Amino acid sequence: MTGTVGEIPIFLGAVYGGLVIGLVFTAFRGLHALFGGGRISDALLDVLFYLLAGVIAALTLYRINGGTLRLYALLGIAAGVFAAISSVDSLLCALAQKLQNSHSKFTKKRL
């Protein structure tokens, strides 16, 4: 496909790649909660996330576009990351907060 219509699958593929990066971010946020707290562990988790996100972005661009950098593909990745973080991440944080509150209420009643 040529023309503007042929660019839509590339953009959507970039959005899907961005969604994957957003889900990886959410997973690493949970890892920070479990293993974080120290400067070294936080730095290692951050470096690991950035490496993984870079590999996912590079593989996404290579798969959908032959590795050619295009602004709309980068914007698609950013849109996917934003969509994943604003939807899934906020839902998981709210769920974790509710579980933490119910756990603290349960332990107070037992004591």
Side-chain angles (χ1 to χ4, degrees):
M1 285 190 249
T2 60
T4 307
V5 176
E7 309 299 331
I8 293 172
I10 295 171
F11 180 77
L12 292 177
V15 171
Y16 294 147
L19 288 172
V20 171
I21 293 172
L23 293 176
V24 168
F25 175 80
T26 302
F28 269 84
R29 194 165 173 189
L31 289 175
H32 269 285
L34 291 175
F35 302 114
R39 289 174 50 181
I40 294 173
S41 63
D42 283 346
L44 288 175
L45 286 171
D46 286 345
V47 166
L48 186 61
F49 167 73
Y50 287 123
L51 286 174
L52 192 58
V55 167
I56 292 170
L59 289 175
T60 298
L61 289 174
Y62 182 74
R63 177 80 171 127
I64 63 172
N65 202 17
T68 304
L69 285 177
R70 297 194 178 174
L71 182 61
Y72 65 88
L74 294 176
L75 291 175
I77 290 174
V81 170
F82 178 76
I85 289 174
S86 64
S87 62
V88 175
D89 193 51
S90 61
L91 289 174
L92 288 178
C93 286
L95 178 65
Q97 186 66 35
K98 285 185 180 184
L99 288 174
Q100 186 177 18
N101 289 342
S102 66
H103 182 272
S104 64
K105 288 179 185 178
F106 178 72
T107 56
K108 286 181 184 177
K109 288 181 182 178
R110 289 187 64 194
L111 296 176

